[in-house]
Amino acid sequence: MTLMTSWVESANSADTDFPLNNLPYGVFTTNRLEARCGVAIGDQILDMAALEEEGLITLAEEPVFDVPYWNDVMDLGPAAWASLRARLIELLSADAADQATVAPHLVPMADARLHMPMMVSEYTDFYAGKHHATNVGTMFRGAENALPPNWLHIPIGYNGRASTVVVSGTAITRPNGQLKAPDADTPHFGPCQKLDIELEMGAIVGTSTEMGQPISIEEADEMIFGYVLLNDWSARDIQAWEYQPLGPFQAKAFATSISPWIVSRDALEPFRTSTPEREKDLLPYLREEKPGLYDIDLSVLIQPDGGEAEEIARTNYREMYYSAAQQLTHHASSGCAMNAGDLLGSGTISGPEKSQRGSLLELSWGGKEPITLKDGSSRSFVEDGDTLTLTGHAQGNGYRVGFGSCTGKIRPAIDFS
Amino acid sequence: MTLMTSWVESANSADTDFPLNNLPYGVFTTNRLEARCGVAIGDQILDMAALEEEGLITLAEEPVFDVPYWNDVMDLGPAAWASLRARLIELLSADAADQATVAPHLVPMADARLHMPMMVSEYTDFYAGKHHATNVGTMFRGAENALPPNWLHIPIGYNGRASTVVVSGTAITRPNGQLKAPDADTPHFGPCQKLDIELEMGAIVGTSTEMGQPISIEEADEMIFGYVLLNDWSARDIQAWEYQPLGPFQAKAFATSISPWIVSRDALEPFRTSTPEREKDLLPYLREEKPGLYDIDLSVLIQPDGGEAEEIARTNYREMYYSAAQQLTHHASSGCAMNAGDLLGSGTISGPEKSQRGSLLELSWGGKEPITLKDGSSRSFVEDGDTLTLTGHAQGNGYRVGFGSCTGKIRPAIDFS
């Protein structure tokens, strides 16, 4: 696949995240425009509500773009998603006839503010990266027992909290919580001392299933509307004290950040790649014919307050052990109803090398090997004032399909005791 | 507190669940009425949408009752909830002036179908019954290690799945899932063999908090709109294989049933009772001045297909170790945003005696001591065709504040392999 050229010049650069091949979905405002759906193209945003109002694009009888979320488009289903993409390519390609009518509805990204691209129905987070699970398991249970016995059979997941999924750029307040030092008799309540990130991809479910109705892997793949970058902020010390026996709760409930642009499954199609060789055969309901992962380069950057941003990890989504389709199939296998707007976190994406680890817990090996930043300071975990940023893109031949960035700056904990 | 008499005669019986003292909130339809808000009084339902349309009750500028959920009323806040209750008592009390204008808007319960009383924003389930946690812990880890070290300090909870919270009467399909016999090398996929109930109360959050903003116990108590009965259906065998290290997922995701009537906090006020003596002092943020539990008698009944219903357990909500206000305060303590419509499951309510256990797992001690039913059959867990019913009421002097029932009949698993 090569670059598809557009009459929007900035979309033809080899290093834009948003060429015509991409066309990701977001929600934006400007000083004069209320929140509405937009599509990124080069350094511009196409105002979908205006396009719809002018009759240049029609997906349904009722307007679906003049709202601050893409859920209405999701509800129209995969055939509508395909016709939307086809029409956008028609309107924006270099040889488009409609250039003069479309051009007035481009808004410079520099003038826009981005918002959550959808209403999150429910948020589920998985634990489906083998390097990550092995690293964390080794730290907590020793190398012999690193992977739980179920791990090679089940895409392990837990329900997260949808109410605190926020768009990139939202400041993150350091959480308070119950903490217990290993040598203390009793816990105390106070600010988290081991604040961490988790580099993940988020898959957005675009259609719904009935309660009691499982789905096949093929159906699950068709249900995915698109992908975002996802930072599952984690309070490791709160988690260590609370998580037995029912899993993470307040350690993960305070914030999850996502990138503002939903990259569609169709845009990622050329970058499909398979999950790795299996040590143990998967049960039939989890076996996938079509490659379920994507070749997406991912980076983590840290920027101390007033300092420079620097990369501290680089990995790839293809390192996952389970695909989003496998996770979704497993999620519905008990009869759990799935809804448009459900967000599935991939689990932390770490590669086999130290520089490829997707959390500070792993990068600093639980704080035993702090990393040193360019300004000479060191980090075991995230400090107040730090800005953490995830970036990601799939690299094509002379172009990239990018996700933009997913960023959050840490504010000090509030006093509550 | 004694019975408040109503001109609705059936509300003055000592054994109705719905005297004037109660006035719980539900959603109903009839052959001629679309889904709308209603209030139970004796064996009647007061059609709130009709009352509002006639100007007999006005809570806000826009109508709030002509919708199939109580979330719009929740959004008006505690002052509106209080004025709603005061106005209902005024309209329905024995000496009411408006009897002739109100009476036409009573619908016999026998003619109505009940629906979910609210849109569930998110569902969180707790593990806050000490007898239950001790029983389960003893079975799984031995009596020495029954309670995890955090249990006396934290109201342990985990996020559940809102998409499968259903109203009483909804049939429950036995889930499929990954199961692994203790002596098997690998898991298989098939119908759950250890289907169970969990007798719980559900607290419904009625107002919202901002992300990053913790709340005090007093604020948390004020935020609770009301309570329902809740059956947290559980697949014990799926749970045993999946739950390490991140907690229950598909074992709980397939269904949660609630009773159709939300009993308001005000109706329960005369029945407040304290949480038990503490073995260990709670951290200050969890200490409550006001008694946070309620004296509510609870029963579990089982009815084999074609057989008679019989009681298999009887306990009381006052057996809980943590109140809903303590759970809600803990839930928001990290900065987790709470929303109107959030549902908090209390955790399984078991008493100290064998007959007071709120799950079959405990009643049959993991299947080692099956219970015998009147028809001579025995149960370790729930069988296809069984109907399980929870009932509950607070007993006043010559009256009761009841919850109605929370029931579900089990359908066989569907074939999916």
Side-chain angles (χ1 to χ4, degrees):
Chain A
M1 194 86 170
T2 53
L3 175 73
M4 296 159 66
T5 54
S6 170
W7 54 262
V8 180
E9 275 305 324
S10 59
N12 300 328
S13 153
D15 60 3
T16 179
D17 271 352
F18 309 119
L20 185 59
N21 307 58
N22 192 346
L23 300 173
Y25 309 134
V27 167
F28 73 102
T29 51
T30 67
N31 287 344
R32 61 180 189 88
L33 297 177
E34 293 200 349
R36 61 192 54 210
C37 294
V39 170
I41 178 79
D43 59 9
Q44 305 289 309
I45 301 173
L46 188 59
D47 179 344
M48 294 300 294
L51 232 58
E52 185 177 51
E53 197 182 336
E54 294 220 350
L56 286 164
I57 196 157
T58 305
L59 276 194
E61 286 183 28
E62 297 292 312
V64 292
F65 297 114
D66 195 17
V67 287
Y69 43 77
W70 280 79
N71 300 63
D72 287 356
V73 174
M74 295 180 204
D75 285 337
L76 299 175
W81 310 343
S83 86
L84 166 63
R85 182 171 170 84
R87 179 63 177 149
L88 286 169
I89 290 171
E90 188 177 43
L91 291 173
L92 292 168
S93 65
D95 56 0
D98 297 296
Q99 181 172 347
T101 49
V102 172
H105 303 302
L106 290 175
V107 174
M109 267 189 204
D111 297 344
R113 184 170 170 197
L114 298 173
H115 303 271
M116 277 290 290
M118 84 276 202
M119 295 184 288
V120 179
S121 297
E122 298 189 63
Y123 166 46
T124 306
D125 193 34
F126 286 86
Y127 185 63
K130 194 174 166 204
H131 303 294
H132 170 72
T134 303
N135 287 337
V136 172
T138 301
M139 274 183 260
F140 289 172
R141 290 179 295 272
E144 300 281 300
N145 302 302
L147 284 186
N150 52 22
W151 202 92
L152 296 173
H153 301 279
I154 302 180
I156 295 289
Y158 64 98
N159 300 296
R161 184 77 190 173
S163 65
T164 46
V165 178
V166 294
V167 72
S168 172
T170 306
I172 305 300
T173 302
R174 179 180 296 272
N176 288 298
Q178 282 202 26
L179 312 167
K180 196 180 89 60
D183 56 349
D185 283 339
T186 55
H188 69 281
F189 188 89
C192 162
Q193 301 298 314
K194 295 186 176 178
L195 183 59
D196 201 0
I197 58 154
E198 291 195 336
L199 166 62
E200 304 192 19
M201 298 289 301
I204 293 157
V205 177
T207 61
S208 300
T209 67
E210 293 293 317
M211 177 171 163
Q213 189 56 55
I215 49 174
S216 69
I217 289 276
E218 293 72 27
E219 289 168 325
D221 189 67
E222 288 287 311
M223 285 174 64
I224 294 171
F225 184 67
Y227 291 82
V228 291
L229 304 172
L230 186 150
N231 183 351
D232 186 45
W233 300 95
S234 299
R236 301 295 180 195
D237 41 6
I238 296 174
Q239 187 174 352
W241 172 233
E242 78 173 1
Y243 93 109
Q244 287 290 6
L246 299 183
F249 184 44
Q250 292 305 289
K252 304 272 197 172
F254 60 98
T256 302
S257 301
I258 64 169
S259 54
W261 295 108
I262 302 172
V263 177
S264 70
R265 191 161 39 84
D266 279 351
L268 291 170
E269 201 60 34
F271 308 100
R272 277 193 185 264
T273 182
S274 296
T275 50
E277 286 292 306
R278 302 279 148 186
E279 289 84 344
K280 308 216 176 185
D281 284 344
L282 288 178
L283 285 166
Y285 80 107
L286 288 176
R287 289 181 200 152
E288 62 187 4
E289 300 292 319
K290 199 171 172 182
L293 295 177
Y294 300 95
D295 183 349
I296 300 170
D297 281 323
L298 299 164
S299 292
V300 180
L301 296 93
I302 190 167
Q303 180 180 18
D305 204 11
E308 267 180 67
E310 62 185 279
E311 187 176 279
I312 55 174
R314 169 160 246 164
T315 181
N316 194 294
Y317 181 51
R318 68 170 173 250
E319 298 289 351
M320 299 310 290
Y321 198 78
Y322 294 100
S323 70
Q326 288 173 321
Q327 294 171 336
L328 181 50
T329 292
H330 180 67
H331 207 324
S333 66
S334 68
C336 180
M338 305 303 300
N339 286 309
D342 282 340
L343 175 64
L344 310 183
S346 61
T348 308
I349 307 166
S350 293
E353 305 300 324
K354 184 166 181 177
S355 64
Q356 297 172 333
R357 294 174 183 167
S359 69
L360 279 158
L361 178 70
E362 295 165 86
L363 287 165
S364 75
W365 206 251
K368 288 186 184 143
E369 303 168 17
I371 57 172
T372 302
L373 304 186
K374 283 181 188 159
D375 68 3
S377 67
S378 68
R379 289 290 183 283
S380 291
F381 294 97
V382 181
E383 298 194 356
D384 289 349
D386 285 352
T387 299
L388 274 292
T389 300
L390 314 180
T391 66
H393 68 270
Q395 185 63 55
N397 182 11
Y399 77 102
R400 51 162 60 178
V401 169
F403 286 77
S405 67
C406 176
T407 189
K409 184 171 180 174
I410 304 302
R411 287 195 295 216
I414 71 164
D415 186 18
F416 174 68
S417 52
Chain B
M1 196 85 170
T2 54
L3 175 74
M4 297 160 65
T5 54
S6 170
W7 55 263
V8 181
E9 275 305 323
S10 60
N12 300 328
S13 153
D15 59 1
T16 180
D17 271 352
F18 309 119
L20 186 59
N21 306 58
N22 192 346
L23 300 174
Y25 309 134
V27 166
F28 73 102
T29 51
T30 67
N31 286 342
R32 62 180 187 87
L33 297 177
E34 292 201 349
R36 61 191 56 209
C37 294
V39 170
I41 178 78
D43 59 8
Q44 305 288 311
I45 301 173
L46 187 59
D47 180 343
M48 295 299 293
L51 232 58
E52 186 177 51
E53 197 181 337
E54 293 221 350
L56 286 164
I57 197 157
T58 305
L59 276 194
E61 285 183 29
E62 298 292 314
V64 292
F65 296 114
D66 195 18
V67 287
Y69 42 77
W70 281 77
N71 300 64
D72 287 356
V73 175
M74 295 179 205
D75 285 338
L76 299 175
W81 310 343
S83 86
L84 166 63
R85 182 170 171 84
R87 179 64 177 149
L88 287 169
I89 290 172
E90 189 177 42
L91 291 173
L92 292 168
S93 66
D95 57 359
D98 297 298
Q99 181 173 345
T101 47
V102 173
H105 304 302
L106 290 175
V107 174
M109 267 190 202
D111 297 343
R113 186 174 168 192
L114 298 173
H115 303 269
M116 276 291 290
M118 84 275 202
M119 294 184 289
V120 179
S121 296
E122 297 190 63
Y123 167 46
T124 307
D125 194 33
F126 286 85
Y127 185 62
K130 194 173 166 206
H131 303 294
H132 170 72
T134 303
N135 286 338
V136 172
T138 301
M139 274 183 260
F140 290 172
R141 290 180 295 273
E144 301 280 301
N145 302 303
L147 284 187
N150 52 21
W151 202 92
L152 295 173
H153 302 279
I154 302 180
I156 295 289
Y158 65 98
N159 300 297
R161 183 76 190 173
S163 65
T164 48
V165 178
V166 294
V167 72
S168 172
T170 307
I172 305 300
T173 302
R174 179 180 296 272
N176 288 299
Q178 283 201 26
L179 312 168
K180 196 181 89 61
D183 56 348
D185 283 339
T186 55
H188 69 280
F189 188 89
C192 162
Q193 302 297 314
K194 295 186 176 178
L195 182 59
D196 201 357
I197 57 154
E198 291 195 336
L199 165 62
E200 304 192 20
M201 299 288 301
I204 294 156
V205 177
T207 59
S208 300
T209 67
E210 293 292 318
M211 178 173 163
Q213 188 56 55
I215 49 173
S216 69
I217 289 276
E218 294 71 27
E219 289 168 324
D221 189 66
E222 288 288 311
M223 285 174 64
I224 294 171
F225 184 65
Y227 291 82
V228 290
L229 304 171
L230 186 150
N231 183 351
D232 185 46
W233 300 94
S234 298
R236 301 297 178 193
D237 42 5
I238 296 174
Q239 188 174 351
W241 171 233
E242 79 174 358
Y243 93 109
Q244 287 289 6
L246 298 183
F249 184 43
Q250 292 306 287
K252 305 272 197 173
F254 60 98
T256 302
S257 300
I258 64 169
S259 54
W261 296 108
I262 303 172
V263 177
S264 71
R265 192 161 38 83
D266 279 351
L268 291 169
E269 199 62 34
F271 307 100
R272 276 193 185 263
T273 183
S274 295
T275 50
E277 287 292 306
R278 302 279 149 187
E279 289 84 346
K280 309 216 177 185
D281 284 344
L282 289 178
L283 285 166
Y285 80 107
L286 288 176
R287 290 181 201 153
E288 61 187 5
E289 301 291 320
K290 198 171 172 181
L293 295 176
Y294 300 95
D295 183 348
I296 300 170
D297 281 324
L298 299 164
S299 292
V300 181
L301 295 95
I302 189 167
Q303 180 180 19
D305 204 10
E308 266 180 67
E310 62 185 281
E311 188 177 278
I312 54 172
R314 169 161 247 164
T315 182
N316 194 294
Y317 182 51
R318 68 170 173 252
E319 297 290 351
M320 299 310 290
Y321 198 78
Y322 294 100
S323 70
Q326 287 173 321
Q327 293 171 335
L328 180 50
T329 293
H330 180 66
H331 208 323
S333 66
S334 68
C336 179
M338 305 304 299
N339 287 311
D342 282 341
L343 174 65
L344 310 184
S346 60
T348 308
I349 306 167
S350 293
E353 305 300 324
K354 183 165 180 177
S355 64
Q356 297 172 333
R357 295 174 183 166
S359 68
L360 280 158
L361 177 69
E362 295 165 85
L363 287 165
S364 75
W365 207 252
K368 288 184 185 144
E369 303 168 17
I371 58 172
T372 303
L373 304 186
K374 283 181 188 159
D375 69 2
S377 67
S378 69
R379 290 290 182 284
S380 290
F381 294 96
V382 181
E383 298 194 355
D384 289 349
D386 285 350
T387 299
L388 275 291
T389 300
L390 315 181
T391 66
H393 68 269
Q395 185 63 55
N397 182 10
Y399 76 101
R400 49 164 61 176
V401 169
F403 286 78
S405 68
C406 177
T407 190
K409 184 171 181 174
I410 304 301
R411 288 195 295 215
I414 70 165
D415 186 18
F416 174 70
S417 52

